[in-house]
Amino acid sequence: MAKFTEHTFATPVELEPGILRLTLPLPTGPRHVHCYLLRGDDGWTLVDTGLGLMETPWDEILAGLDAPVVRIFITHMHPDHVGGAEEAARATGAPVIQGRLDYAQCERVWGSSDWPERIAEWFLQNGVPPQTAEELIESGHVFADFVQFAWNPTLVEPGDTVDGWRVLATPGHADGHLCLYRDGVLIAGDHVLAPITPAIGLYPESRPDPLGDYVDSLRSVAELAPRVSYGGHGGTVEVPAARAHEIVEHHERRLDKTEASLGDDPRSGFEVSLALFGTELPPIQRRFAVAEALSHLERLVVLGRAEREGDGRAVTYTGRSAGGRETA
Ligand SMILES: [Zn+2]
């Protein structure tokens, strides 16, 4: 439990009047996820729900609040944010609110029994060795059991308001990712994080250029210039606009590195992931590494800095500046 001591789990902490942070443990990755409680006239809005893997002591948490939780808002469909939604809805009796696009993807990924096979097929096309793909299928089925999202939530669209908070579309980390914004406060989900940077991956049956989407939505947050941003992991971001620019620069450097890994010989997303993230990764990390390599490769294609070739069975990339391909 030593790794958990940096956070007090399952005890809401007041960040400013009417905004509480509720941190829940995760078994992997950053080992914690932040949910938020936002006070309104009729009670609290809970933002995100943790992973359905560990039981959350909702009775104690709710008993410590001065009013009931009257609605639950989901920023995006990743397991650590949506996985505990059903349990939270049961404990509070509150309706779950989720973005229309995000819920469609949530249902497709966590609600269909053959998603692990479909995503493994796609990874095979992108050069992932069969044994690694096989391990992805197994871990995918195990993981899906712990994601207890809420079926048939109330659907919202960007531009709607939830108890006075404006719903912002912030695609990138997930296609349907949403933030809440009010009075200079951004409830950021995994859009703007510090010190870690959110993973930006390309996935099947998703938007074609997630990194392009992400950079655009980081710039729109920078223009909004929130006073403060509270994210799903890590620390409070005191100057969100500056952090948004830093993250854009981080991806520009990674784009350069991705481009440098390409040449005349066609390379798969898997091969590029080896160049970017090394050869020693367990399957679950390799999954993110390949998806991240592919989001950068597709961005390079959009920018005219790489070329993609694919016959439906294998997808590869080559550099534009390599060999004699440069035209006068
Ligand atoms: Zn997260």
Side-chain angles (χ1 to χ4, degrees):
M1 292 295 284
K3 285 177 189 149
F4 288 177
T5 51
E6 60 187 295
H7 295 289
T8 307
F9 285 109
T11 304
V13 175
E14 185 175 77
L15 300 171
E16 51 184 276
I19 301 179
L20 311 180
R21 185 170 64 205
L22 172 67
T23 304
L24 300 176
L26 295 180
T28 57
R31 302 256 165 203
H32 71 274
V33 59
H34 300 311
C35 310
Y36 293 91
L37 287 153
L38 312 174
R39 187 70 158 94
D41 292 338
D42 57 350
W44 294 92
T45 298
L46 170 68
V47 180
D48 289 342
T49 59
L51 187 62
L53 180 61
M54 295 110 150
E55 230 168 272
T56 302
W58 284 115
D59 288 350
E60 279 167 52
I61 294 165
L62 298 176
L65 299 176
D66 64 352
V69 168
V70 290
R71 64 187 74 74
I72 298 166
F73 179 82
I74 304 295
T75 60
H76 65 295
M77 46 72 77
H78 291 170
D80 48 331
H81 300 260
V82 80
E86 192 185 44
E87 188 195 348
R90 205 183 314 122
T92 58
V96 174
I97 301 168
Q98 194 168 356
R100 183 180 300 277
L101 171 61
D102 191 61
Y103 182 67
Q105 294 197 338
C106 185
E107 212 181 343
R108 194 183 311 150
V109 170
W110 305 120
S112 63
S113 56
D114 65 344
W115 178 257
E117 280 80 7
R118 274 148 66 207
I119 197 165
E121 178 63 36
W122 183 79
F123 276 121
L124 285 171
Q125 284 171 17
N126 284 291
V128 172
Q131 199 196 323
T132 309
E134 197 60 42
E135 284 164 347
L136 286 179
I137 295 176
E138 279 167 39
S139 63
H141 280 298
V142 171
F143 216 28
D145 289 343
F146 296 117
V147 181
Q148 307 284 329
F149 68 91
W151 291 86
N152 303 313
T154 303
L155 299 177
V156 288
E157 300 280 2
D160 289 351
T161 55
V162 171
D163 197 36
W165 291 78
R166 188 145 52 93
V167 175
L168 306 181
T170 44
H173 179 67
D175 286 353
H177 191 290
L178 300 175
C179 294
L180 293 178
Y181 186 71
R182 189 166 99 172
D183 299 335
V185 177
L186 187 73
I187 305 295
D190 287 354
H191 183 50
V192 180
L193 298 177
I196 61 170
T197 52
I200 307 300
L202 181 77
Y203 291 97
E205 300 170 47
S206 301
R207 285 174 61 83
D209 179 18
L211 184 56
D213 292 340
Y214 186 52
V215 167
D216 286 348
S217 50
L218 281 174
R219 293 206 166 111
S220 68
V221 160
E223 273 167 37
L224 198 64
R227 166 173 64 79
V228 67
S229 173
Y230 300 121
H233 310 276
T236 295
V237 177
E238 302 288 354
V239 189
R243 180 61 187 153
H245 288 304
E246 267 175 30
I247 298 174
V248 170
E249 284 161 18
H250 160 85
H251 287 290
E252 279 166 3
R253 285 192 299 275
R254 184 165 283 170
L255 280 170
D256 290 344
K257 215 175 151 189
T258 307
E259 186 178 23
S261 78
L262 296 175
D264 273 340
D265 296 334
R267 289 194 137 195
S268 68
F270 175 75
E271 289 170 317
V272 172
S273 84
L274 300 177
L276 289 178
F277 302 104
T279 55
E280 303 295 316
L281 289 180
I284 196 79
Q285 295 294 335
R286 179 62 58 195
R287 176 197 185 103
F288 290 114
V290 174
E292 183 96 16
L294 287 168
S295 73
H296 287 72
L297 288 164
E298 285 298 318
R299 184 79 200 129
L300 289 175
V301 171
V302 170
L303 295 172
R305 292 164 61 182
E307 282 179 15
R308 179 197 333 104
E309 278 158 54
D311 59 4
R313 296 170 66 190
V315 179
T316 55
Y317 298 84
T318 47
R320 285 299 296 267
S321 54
R325 214 171 276 130
E326 255 173 339
T327 49

